[in-house]
Structure formats: C-alpha cells, structure tokens
Amino acid sequence: MSTALELFATDEAVAQLEAELLSATGLQRVDALVAVAWQMRQRDTKRALALSDEAEAGLASASCIALTDGKRRAIQARLMLIRGEAKWLFDELDAGVVLAENALQEFTACADAIGCADAHGLRAYIAQSQGNTACRDAEWEAMIASANDGDPVRRTFAQAVLATDAAFRDGAAARKKWGGHLAAQRATMHPAAASQTEFFFGAPGGHDGEYVEAIRHYGLCHTLALGSGQIRRAIVAATNAGGKFSNLNDHQAALEWMQRGLELARRSAWPSIIGMALMQTAETLRLLRRYEVAQELLREAIALMANATTSQHYAVALSILGKVEMDLQHYSDALSTFQLLEQRAQALGAEELLTLALRGQARALLQLKQPQKALEQANAALAAAKLNPGWKIGALQVLADIHTSHELPTPIGMHAANAPLYYLHQALDAAANVENYTVPSELLETMAREYAKVGNHVKAYEMALQAIQAREKIHSTEASNRASALQVSHEIEKARAEGEHQRQLALAHAERANTLERTNATLEKLGAVGRDITGNLNTEVIFSALDTHVHTLLEASAFVIYRLEDDGQALKMVFGVEDGQALPQHLTRLDDPISKAARCARERQEVIADIAGDHEVLVPGTLATLSLMFAPLLVGERLLGVMTIQSSKAKAYAEREVAIFRSLCAYGAIALANAETQALLMEQNKLLATLSVSDKLTGLFNRLRLDQALAEQARLGERTQAPTSIILLDVDHFKAVNDTHGHQVGDQVLVGIANILKTQSRDVDLVGRWGGEEFLIVCRNTPLEGACVLAEKLRCAIAAFVFPVVLNKTASFGVSTFNGASDVDGLIARADAALYRAKKLGRNRVEIEIEN
C-alpha cells in the first residue's frame, strides 16, 4: 500500500479509486480497499468499516502471503486509524485512543512518517473532544513535524487547525502569527487544507464581530469540505455560518444554514455532531423566541452528547439551555444548568463560558429571591471577566440589576442610593473602551430610571436622549446588517458554484441564423438523430448520444437528465454536464414548489424560463443561467423523467428550439423505455435459467443440472486426471413420514435436509436433489477418502437435527469416485450399490464403492 494516501481526496479522485477497486484482484484489491475505506471514513463511515473488514480478510488470503512484514504492518495500522476515527466520530473516545496509539506505534516501527502524521491528527481530534487542549496542541505540532518533509497538504492542514484554535482564544494574535503564512498559500492549496484555512479566517472574524466576512469564509469552507470528504468540518462550518447570520438578525438565512448542517449531521449518524447541530439550531430558535421548541432540541442534543460531556460543544449546549430556561422562567432549572456549566467551563479552561455561567447563576438566583448569593456570583463573574470589555459589561449590568431590586451593601465609597448607578457607570466606561461599540439602549434607559429615582432629572433626561439615539443607531445598524446578510448570501452561493467547478461557463455560441434553409437541414438531421438514439439499449450510451446531439442542435451550456424514482415522489439526476464537466447527482422532490424540473414533471409539459437581471442558479453547483428549458420524458401516459438544457445567453429558446428539444425528448424516452424493457427481459431470462436448473421445493440444483455437472467433471477428468467423487444419500424410512403425517410434513423434512446439505457442504461441492427423497453431491477435485469424510459429517448433522413433527430422521449414504474410465453411469451405479448396502446393513451409515 502506498503511504502517500491523500489526507482527504476530492470527489473526482475518490471516483477514480472506486473505479480501480471494481477491477482489482489479490493484493491490488487489498490496496484498493484500504484506499477507498480511508476516503470513506467521513463520507460513509459504516461503509469504510465494512471495506476495512474486507481488506483485513484479504490480508489473510493466499494472494497476500508474499507481503513483507513492513507493508503488512503498515496496512494493518491504516485499518486501525480508520476504525479509530470511526470510534471518535461515534463518541467511543477511549477505544479511539487505544486504536490511534497502536497505529502510531506500528507506523513508527515501519518508519512511515505520513502514517505517523495521520495518527497524531486523530489523537489531536480525540484530545479536543476530551477537553484536553494542551494534548491537542501537542499532537497537531507532532503532525506538522511528521509531515514536514513528505506531505505539504498535511502540514498546512495541521497548521490551519492550530491557527483556528488560537483564533478562538485571541483572534488578533492568531491573525498576526498565522494569517500571512496561510494567506500566501491559499491560491494553490489542496481543498483539504484550503477548507481548514477558510475556517481559520472565519473564526477570528466571527469572534470579533466581523460577521459578514466570517460568513464568507465559513460558506467557502463548507463547499471545499464537502468536495473533499470532510463531512464533520462541513457540518460545523454550516452551523457556524448560520450562527453568524443570526448575529446579523437574518434568522431565516440562519435557519437555512442550520438545516443544511443538521441534515448532513443526521445522515452521518454521529451522536455528538448531531447534538452540536441541534444545539446551534436551538440558539437561533431562542432568538426567534420559540423557547419550547428550542428547549426540546437542546434536550435531544444533550442526550446525544452523553458520551462527550468533556467536549466544548456539550458546554455550549448547557449555556444555551440555561438561557432558554431563564426565558421560560424556569429559574431553578436554569440555576442547576448554569452550575453544571461552571464545572465544565473550569475543566475546559473556557473563560467566556465561565463568565456566562456565573452571570447566569446570578440572574437565576436573583429571580429566586436569593440576592446575597446572586451578588456573590455576579462579583465572581466580574472577576472572571478580567480585561474583556464585553464580559465585564455583562457582569456589571447584572450587579446593577441586583442592587436595583434589593437593599444590599453598597460598594465602598458610594452611597446606598447610588449603588446601581455606580455599576452602570462602570459598564458605560468599559463600553467606551471598545472600538465601534454601540452602548445598548437598555443600559442607558436603566441609568435614566436610576437618575430619576435619586431626583437628578437633568441627568435622567440626558440618559433618556442617549437611549433614543442608541436605539435609532441600532435599528440603522440592523437594517445595514440585513442588507449585508442578503449580499453575503448571494456571494456565498456564487462562491459555492465556483468552488464546485472552478471555472466559468463556456463563451456563448455565435448567434444562430434563423433561416428556412437551416430549419430544413435541422429537421432532416433529426431523423438520423432519432435512429442513432433509439438504436441503443445501453442507458449510458443513450445519455451520451443525447448530450452530443443536444449540443449540436441547440444552445446549451448545461444539459441534465432526471429519472423518476420508483416511488414516483422524486426526480433523481442521472446525467448532468456543464461546460464538459460532470455535475454532482442530487434529488428533487416532485412537490418542491420552487423547482422547475418538479413543475415540468407535475404538469407533464415544457417549462421555458428567461431570467432577466438576476443570475439565478437553477441546477445545484452551476453558475449563472439566463435561459432554461425543461421537457418531460413521456412514453404514452407514462412519465420516465425530465430533461433540461440551460444557457448563459438571454432568450436562447424560442419556438424552433422548443420543437427540436421536444423531438429529442421523445427519442430519448423511447430509447430509455426500450432499454428498460431489454433489461427486464434479460432479468427474466436469467430467472428462467435459474429456475430451469433448480428444484422448486428445496432450492437445490435439480437432476438436469446434476447430469450436466457430472458430464463436465467426466470431461475434465479425462483432460487433467483431477479426482471427482459423488455422495448419494437417501432419507431412511421416508415413506412412513408421508403415510403417517402427510406430504406437507414430508416436504418439511426434505427442505430441512436440503438446508443441512447446503450449509455443511464446501464451496467446491455441487448439491442437488436426485429425485424423491434422494440427494446427490458432486465433490469436485476430491478423492474418495475426502468424500467419505464429508459424507460422515453430513450423516452426523442430519442425525442430530430436530425436524418439525417427526423430530429425528437419519439418512444412508453411498460414496463412489471416477475410476479412470470417466464413466458417469458406472459412477452412479457404484454409489447406488453402496447406498443399497448401507440400507441393508442397518441404515444411518456411510458405505463406499467396492472395486471390481
């Protein structure tokens, strides 16, 4: 196995690996299995494990005997990593640690630096899930060191992860240390490293309030991650983008991105990742004041993360749940949740979550009429806020609320009546030190009320005016943010399309002359086109022919064929090409109110659209489109699917083009229907062929197939002298079963014996029903002694089996072998004579032929 397995390969590269796997045999198949399993570990984790099992079984086969010890150990270590990553994804962290450690030891023994790098990467991910940040950073550094000379993609990937972790702690410092280095490489990066790099550039932006830029980076990260099999990263990027849309007050866009991440997460079946996506969605619903739904999602999320309680995601879920419980006025529950959050935040060293937990406890205690305890927690939150202005402002507001609600000891040097104002002024001073920070109108309104209470009406009026100005500024900012959200949504979709294809649509074809001569020539050509398309019975050839003729006859930068799913509820894209490049497959439900393909299928008529002004994207992954035409694939009243062509030219499809496309669709529908009929006939013929050599009752081969097999073995014996033996057996006292219990019970006995013969015989043996209660086994490449051993094994299995109604039955066996003359009749006669002798000697025994 090559140690240069890509960390995360593109979809195109994986398709090539899949193609190589189909034709690979022996050792090459083991290599191919490992390569595909490695790339499936996040694309389809369960399939990755199944492929790993097959590869491990292949290692034990004869074809891999010649493997060197080093290569065998490297393959086994790679399989450990695949299984270890699966354990991590499914929250079995302890088991994942063991597998990653064992893999690292094996790779180290093999001097496989790339394998060591991958093992360090897995150990880093597991350490992150365990909340061990020091170990996590050390493992990423070890991955960089291992990959330093051999794999720049792995090195850059690990550097970007380290940079991202640093950015969430201190965005400015991380940008200074890593930003220039990573930005210089972005243009030439492999998608595996590029996706993580975009995540890094999104992290500091989102943390510092630069939400629009963060969304751009998270959106591009999502696209790159999907295209390189980093499904976990794609899920996190989608939910993070949704969170930033919430910060921009575009909650509809937020929910769309959350749903995108949640759908991916549910398909993956990874518990803690599903929980993370649910948690993020719940936060958006909380902002929309849908508290009960948010609480339900959070409870599901926390239950799913039961095996990942040491993770950052679990702590964040607790923080959101606490807020929701406060919103629902469930103050005792909120207090318990924030207390648990405090424990988790301290274990993680997460200062922001710690201050949030302390503030949450203070507010819950205040509502529970425990002001002294609330004051203690609020002061603890202020101490934990340290120099962070935002955290400090939050703690000071809580302190002001506590002193406003209750008579408590005031800060040293202040009069009792001024205690709330003391804290509110501190909050105002802290806000003044934050660049571009708009003081919340609620804080200013509270100050106005407090000044009014102490009789300072001038100051109260001044604060009230500032509150009005702050509210107007915030509303203006929110409007600007909504505009930015709309803009960035459009930019992200465009970036996704460009990331998918990394190209521009082909230049528009030259204007076609709409002359009578050209029309006539086209119509004449359609006849030949029809013969070409309908003359094929292979669907792939039909698709290719349609693609060729569509581009010859019509203006089309994109051509797509959808087939109706068997349940009649959705269209599946089975062929799609844009500018010579294959489009990714996707499903479109027939009840989709937006999809023009679905509308075409529902209405069973052409749909033509000209898009003026806005460059709408109609096929997932495509670039701007100005003209579209959809037409149904119909054979009589039966809908087979939909075909569509799309162009970057405006008003590309008029009456002439519709007529041509309608003809092509008719030819395509006929060809596809013919291909389906041919496939059905072939399947029926295959079934008939199976039935013609099968016994209806037992499912074993019948007398016809046994005769064929014996003749084949006779000819083979004459050429190669390979030994062939047969076992003929007869159920003892079978007539008494039918006479006493009826033929239905007798049939049950025969089926039971047939199952024993099938399961206990070898793969090389051909087992059939000779007639009545007699069965025959053709033992290929087996001398007489080997056949006798098998016969005795079968006799014991039948005697030990408990049959319905009759309970115990036995059988008598006769065994013979070709004696050199390759005489089938003589072979059968000798086995029959041996069987007769077994009956005569008391039944339930094995007798062999007697040589003349």
Side-chain angles (χ1 to χ4, degrees), residues 460-671:
Y461 180 69
E462 179 186 332
M463 289 297 152
L465 287 177
Q466 288 185 30
I468 293 170
Q469 293 170 355
R471 194 179 303 112
E472 290 175 350
K473 182 178 180 181
I474 289 170
H475 288 166
S476 175
T477 301
E478 287 177 347
S480 176
N481 284 345
R482 282 192 290 273
S484 297
L486 288 173
Q487 176 188 354
V488 80
S489 293
H490 173 74
E491 290 177 0
I492 285 175
E493 292 306 317
K494 182 178 178 182
R496 288 180 64 216
E498 290 172 350
E500 182 85 18
H501 295 281
Q502 298 179 357
R503 58 180 169 75
Q504 296 292 328
L505 284 170
L507 295 174
H509 292 173
E511 287 291 336
R512 301 185 303 275
N514 190 16
T515 61
L516 178 62
E517 292 79 10
R518 183 174 177 183
T519 300
N520 290 337
T522 300
L523 293 174
E524 289 175 7
K525 189 173 183 179
L526 277 173
V529 168
R531 290 189 294 273
D532 180 34
I533 295 172
T534 57
N536 290 301
L537 294 174
N538 181 291
T539 54
E540 295 301 322
V541 176
I542 294 169
F543 295 158
S544 179
L546 284 167
D547 181 50
T548 298
H549 295 305
V550 159
H551 286 88
T552 301
L553 295 169
L554 297 167
E555 162 66 36
S557 53
F559 172 55
V560 176
I561 301 173
Y562 296 92
R563 290 299 307 271
L564 186 66
E565 290 281 86
D566 292 340
D567 61 6
Q569 301 301 308
L571 294 169
K572 179 180 181 181
M573 195 203 82
V574 295
F575 182 88
V577 173
E578 181 185 67
D579 194 25
Q581 301 295 315
L583 292 171
Q585 288 194 349
H586 62 274
L587 277 177
T588 300
R589 289 190 56 81
L590 250 63
D591 58 5
D592 188 326
I594 298 174
S595 167
K596 291 180 172 59
R599 174 186 158 196
C600 174
R602 291 194 303 269
E603 298 177 359
R604 301 194 175 200
Q605 63 183 16
E606 291 89 3
V607 174
I608 298 100
D610 292 309
I611 303 168
D614 60 340
H615 290 223
E616 184 178 340
V617 176
L618 272 297
V619 175
T622 62
L623 299 178
T625 298
L626 295 182
S627 299
L628 310 95
M629 179 157 47
F630 296 78
L633 292 168
L634 291 168
V635 176
E637 293 299 314
R638 182 185 169 209
L639 178 69
L640 299 183
V642 170
M643 277 183 16
T644 176
I645 53 175
Q646 304 183 14
S647 172
S648 55
K649 287 186 62 178
K651 301 185 183 302
Y653 306 130
E655 192 173 326
R656 169 184 171 275
E657 287 75 24
V658 172
I660 293 173
F661 194 55
R662 185 181 296 138
S663 297
L664 289 173
C665 288
Y667 292 140
I670 293 169

Side-chain angles (χ1 to χ4, degrees), residues 3-10 13 38-39 41 113-114 117-118 121 125 140 143-162 178 181-182 185-198 224-225 227-230:
T3 57
L5 288 169
E6 287 189 85
L7 180 62
F8 290 102
T10 63
W38 177 246
Q39 298 304 333
R41 63 196 193 277
I114 299 304
D118 292 343
Y125 278 131
W140 287 126
M143 181 176 181
I144 293 169
S146 295
N148 197 41
D149 296 326
D151 194 314
V153 173
R154 282 173 167 86
R155 182 181 67 243
T156 304
F157 178 90
Q159 289 172 340
V161 177
L162 267 178
W178 296 100
H181 171 71
L182 292 172
Q185 303 179 64
R186 285 167 79 184
T188 58
M189 272 187 193
H190 185 281
S195 63
Q196 186 57 56
T197 298
E198 292 301 330
L224 291 167
S228 55
Q230 299 178 78

Side-chain angles (χ1 to χ4, degrees), residues 233 458 706:
R233 174 59 64 207
V458 174
L706 290 169

